[in-house]
Amino acid sequence: MSITPTESPESAGPTDSAARAGAPALRLYDSAARAIVPLAPTATPGLVTIYLCGATVQGSPHIGHMRSGIAFDVLRRWLERCGQEVRLIRNVTDIDDKILSKSAAAEPPVPWWAWAQRFEREFDAAYRALGVAAPTYEPRATGHIPEMIDLVQRLLDAGHAYVGESGNVYYDVRSLPGYGSLTNQRLEDLATTEDESQLDDDVEADKRDPRDFALWKAAKPTEPADAAWDAPWGRGRPGWHLECSTMSRRYLGETFDIHGGGIDLRFPHHENEQAQSHGAGWGFARHWVHNAWVTIKGEKMSKSLGNSLVVAELLKRYDAAVLRLALGTVHHRSTVEFSEETLADAAALWERLSGAILRAYEFCDGGDTNPVDAPAEQVRARALPAEFTAAMDEDLNLAGAMAVVHATLKALNVALTQAAPSGGQGADDDLRTSVTGLALDLRSQLDVLGLDPLAEPWRTRVLDGAGSSQGGAAMEALDRLIRHDLEERAQARAAKDWARADALRDKLTEAGVVVEDSPSGARWHLA
C-alpha cells in the first residue's frame, strides 16, 4: 500500500458534498437478522438515531463497561465523518434491585439515590478520561417514571400485561407471537425470561406463567419508602426493562435506527425491551448492534469472577490513551483479551503513533503557526484513503482501517528520517509539505478512532513529551533511564568524544530504542 499526503480536502472521500447529502454507505452486522446489512435508509434522511444501553450505576466502572462506550463512540465518529447527524441516547439506570441492596448493605448504609449518584459520576469521569464523547442526551430512569407508568397502562389496555395479586404487573409473553425473534429462541424452550439477579420467587409467585417478566414491582416494606412511586395499580417501581422502551421512544421516536449494547444484554434485556415496544405498537429498533465482551485469561470479565479491573485503578498505572487503544482498535464483535501483554502492545503502538506526530510537530514548528497543529475541523475535512473508508463502511472493520494507519505511520516515519538532518525552519519546503501532509493524514485517520494525539484529552500529555505509554509507572522509569543515557551522550558529543557518543546510541539501539537528533535535542521512541 502506497501512502502519499492528501493534496486537498476536496479530494474524493467520505467528507465531500455528495456523501454529506446522501445516505450512509455503512453496512453493519444486525444481531436480529444475523447478517451484515445496509444501515440505509435511515428513519430520517441525514440523521442516524442510536439508543445505547448505558450503566446500571451500582458500582465503579470497569473496562468491560468501557468497551461498549468506546465501540459506539467509534461508530458515532464514523457516521459523523461521513456527513450524518447522529443522535445518541445512552441511559443511566439509577433505580434497580442491585442499587437498593448494595446501598443498604454499605457500612454505614447509604441512601440509594446517593449511591447511584456517586457511581454515575465515576462512570462520567471514566468516559471522559478515555475520550468517549458525551451522548446527545443521557436520561436517568428515575426522571421518566410517568412515561413508564403510561407504557404499562398501554400494555394492560392492549392485553399484553396483567396485574398480579400483590400489585406487581407482568408482561404476558404468550400474548406476543414474535417473542424470542431477536435471539432466535422458542418460548417453549425457555424456563424464564428474567435475569437471575432480578428474580424473587416469593414476591413473584402470582405470575400466570413463570416465563412472564416484571413491568412493575410492588413496593416492599423492606425497601426505602422513597424508592417507590404511585401508580394506578399500586405503589412500586419499574422493572429493569421498562425504562429503555420508554426512553428510546421519548428521545428517538417510535421507530429508530440502531439499538446497541453489550452482547450479554441480548437476552433477556433486549428481547424484553423489544416485546414491550412491539406490544405497545411501536416499530422500535430497525437494527441491533452488539459488542463482544472483555475477557481475562479466557474468562468473561465480571465481578463474580473477582477479576474485574476498575478504570480509576488502571489509570494509575496506564495512560488513558493506551487503555482506549487496547479496547477500541479491536473489532466491536471480537472479544478483547485483556492482559499485561495486550497493554504492553498498546503502549508501544501509542508511543509510535504519538511520537511520530510529535516529531512532525517539532519539525514543522515555524513559530507563530504550526501546520501540523491544525484544528479538528481541518483535520476532519481531509479525505481518507479509499481502503480506510471501505474498511470502516464494512461493519467497522478496524483491522482494515488499522492497516492503513500503519502504512501512513510508516510513510511519515520515512519522511521524518529524510527530514531530520535538515532541521526545522531551514528544512526543504517539499519535505515540510510532505511531513505536514502525512502527519495530518495520520491525525485524520486516528480521529475516527478517537485517538488523534493532538486532540483532547491526549493533547497536553503528547505535547509535554510524555506520550501515553510513558504515563504508566514502568514507562516513566524507562524514560528516566533513557534520558540519563541521552544526557551522557549529549555531553560526549559536546566534548567531541564521538566514540563514546556512538557507543551510547548503539547501546540504546540494541535495546530497541530509536534515537533521533533534532535542533531541539535528541528524542527517543521504541522501535
Side-chain angles (χ1 to χ4, degrees):
M1 181 183 298
S2 176
I3 298 291
T4 56
T6 302
E7 293 298 327
S8 72
E10 287 72 36
S11 302
T15 57
D16 61 24
S17 59
R20 286 185 179 278
L26 177 63
R27 289 160 43 86
L28 286 169
Y29 183 85
D30 186 317
S31 299
R34 290 173 284 282
I36 296 177
V37 300
L39 173 60
T42 57
T44 302
L47 173 67
V48 180
T49 47
I50 304 173
Y51 186 89
L52 174 61
C53 280
T56 297
V57 285
Q58 56 168 308
S60 297
H62 55 63
I63 53 170
H65 296 125
M66 295 299 107
R67 178 80 203 278
S68 180
I70 292 172
F72 283 86
D73 187 58
V74 172
L75 169 60
R76 177 188 191 175
R77 286 171 177 271
W78 181 242
L79 288 168
E80 290 178 339
R81 188 62 176 272
C82 295
Q84 300 295 307
E85 179 186 353
V86 177
R87 184 177 301 157
L88 172 63
I89 308 303
R90 187 181 67 211
N91 70 302
V92 175
T93 301
D94 60 342
I95 181 71
D96 153 277
D97 289 5
K98 295 176 182 177
I99 293 172
L100 294 177
S101 61
K102 290 186 176 184
S103 60
E107 290 293 342
V110 176
W112 64 270
W113 45 266
W115 185 271
Q117 180 63 208
R118 168 190 167 185
F119 293 112
E120 181 180 343
R121 289 176 177 173
E122 286 193 19
F123 269 87
D124 182 64
Y127 286 131
R128 284 188 285 105
L130 296 180
V132 176
T136 312
Y137 305 111
E138 192 165 28
R140 298 187 183 98
T142 54
H144 297 77
I145 301 296
E147 294 102 315
M148 292 190 222
I149 293 173
D150 288 345
L151 175 54
V152 173
Q153 188 62 60
R154 185 182 183 104
L155 293 171
L156 286 167
D157 294 342
H160 289 297
Y162 59 93
V163 181
E165 295 177 1
S166 61
N168 295 313
V169 183
Y170 301 106
Y171 190 98
D172 180 359
V173 294
R174 290 175 298 177
S175 71
L176 189 74
Y179 187 87
S181 62
L182 174 60
T183 50
N184 197 30
Q185 298 184 91
R186 298 188 310 167
L187 187 58
E188 54 266 34
D189 295 333
L190 299 174
T192 181
T193 60
E194 285 283 25
D195 184 279
E196 291 183 3
S197 66
Q198 304 287 334
L199 286 174
D200 189 331
D201 292 336
D202 292 335
V203 173
E204 299 178 9
D206 54 350
K207 284 183 178 180
R208 295 176 185 172
D209 187 314
R211 295 168 298 187
D212 295 341
F213 62 87
L215 295 171
W216 189 262
K217 297 190 173 188
K220 301 177 185 178
T222 56
E223 293 179 348
D226 61 354
W229 291 262
D230 291 328
W233 44 86
R235 190 168 175 80
R237 58 185 171 85
W240 176 31
H241 319 294
L242 193 63
E243 64 182 278
C244 293
S245 289
T246 301
M247 292 191 287
S248 62
R249 178 179 182 270
R250 168 67 178 81
Y251 293 97
L252 300 178
E254 294 184 3
T255 301
F256 56 95
D257 296 310
I258 297 172
H259 194 313
I263 195 170
D264 52 324
L265 296 178
R266 288 179 67 224
F267 186 84
H269 185 47
H270 289 166
E271 190 75 70
N272 289 349
E273 281 185 54
Q274 180 172 269
Q276 293 167 162
S277 297
H278 286 178
W282 305 334
F284 200 48
R286 299 178 68 247
H287 301 285
W288 288 88
V289 177
H290 292 96
N291 62 275
W293 47 53
V294 179
T295 63
I296 299 176
K297 296 181 180 178
E299 295 182 282
K300 176 189 170 185
M301 207 203 74
S302 66
K303 292 186 177 180
S304 62
L305 293 176
N307 58 6
S308 61
L309 296 175
V310 173
V311 175
E313 292 302 315
L314 281 170
L315 290 175
K316 296 177 183 178
R317 300 167 51 204
Y318 303 98
D319 192 278
V322 170
L323 293 183
R324 168 131 191 171
L325 196 152
L327 294 172
T329 55
V330 176
H331 191 279
H332 66 279
R333 290 193 290 117
S334 297
T335 299
V336 174
E337 179 66 34
F338 201 76
S339 65
E340 292 291 341
E341 292 78 9
T342 301
L343 289 170
D345 290 344
L349 177 55
W350 178 247
E351 175 63 30
R352 294 196 295 272
L353 292 167
S354 61
I357 293 295
L358 181 57
R359 293 192 300 279
Y361 176 93
E362 292 176 340
F363 174 73
C364 294
D365 189 11
D368 294 336
T369 60
N370 188 324
V372 172
D373 193 21
E377 295 77 11
Q378 184 177 333
V379 170
R380 291 168 186 163
R382 295 186 73 80
L384 293 163
E387 299 93 335
F388 187 98
T389 299
M392 292 298 291
D393 273 343
E394 188 64 14
D395 197 32
L396 303 177
N397 178 4
L398 291 178
M402 286 302 294
V404 178
V405 168
H406 283 289
T408 307
L409 172 63
K410 181 178 179 180
L412 176 57
N413 281 331
V414 169
L416 286 167
T417 300
Q418 296 170 345
S422 58
Q425 295 186 17
D428 181 87
D429 286 344
D430 289 341
L431 278 175
R432 286 172 61 85
T433 299
S434 178
V435 168
T436 297
L438 287 164
L440 291 177
D441 285 347
L442 184 56
R443 285 187 60 195
S444 177
Q445 295 159 28
L446 291 174
D447 175 74
V448 172
L449 307 177
L451 286 165
D452 175 7
L454 295 185
E456 297 299 341
W458 329 118
R459 177 183 176 83
T460 300
R461 293 185 65 81
V462 170
L463 290 183
D464 284 347
S468 75
S469 64
Q470 295 175 11
M475 291 305 294
E476 288 181 358
L478 178 61
D479 183 60
R480 286 194 293 271
L481 291 172
I482 294 174
R483 291 291 175 191
H484 177 271
D485 282 356
L486 291 179
E487 290 171 6
E488 188 174 340
R489 176 173 174 268
Q491 294 171 2
R493 285 163 60 91
K496 298 185 178 181
D497 185 351
W498 308 118
R500 176 62 176 159
D502 290 345
L504 287 165
R505 181 168 189 153
D506 291 343
K507 169 189 169 185
L508 292 171
T509 300
E510 290 174 4
V513 176
V514 177
V515 177
E516 295 181 348
D517 294 309
S518 72
S520 60
R523 286 189 47 78
W524 71 272
H525 64 89
L526 298 176

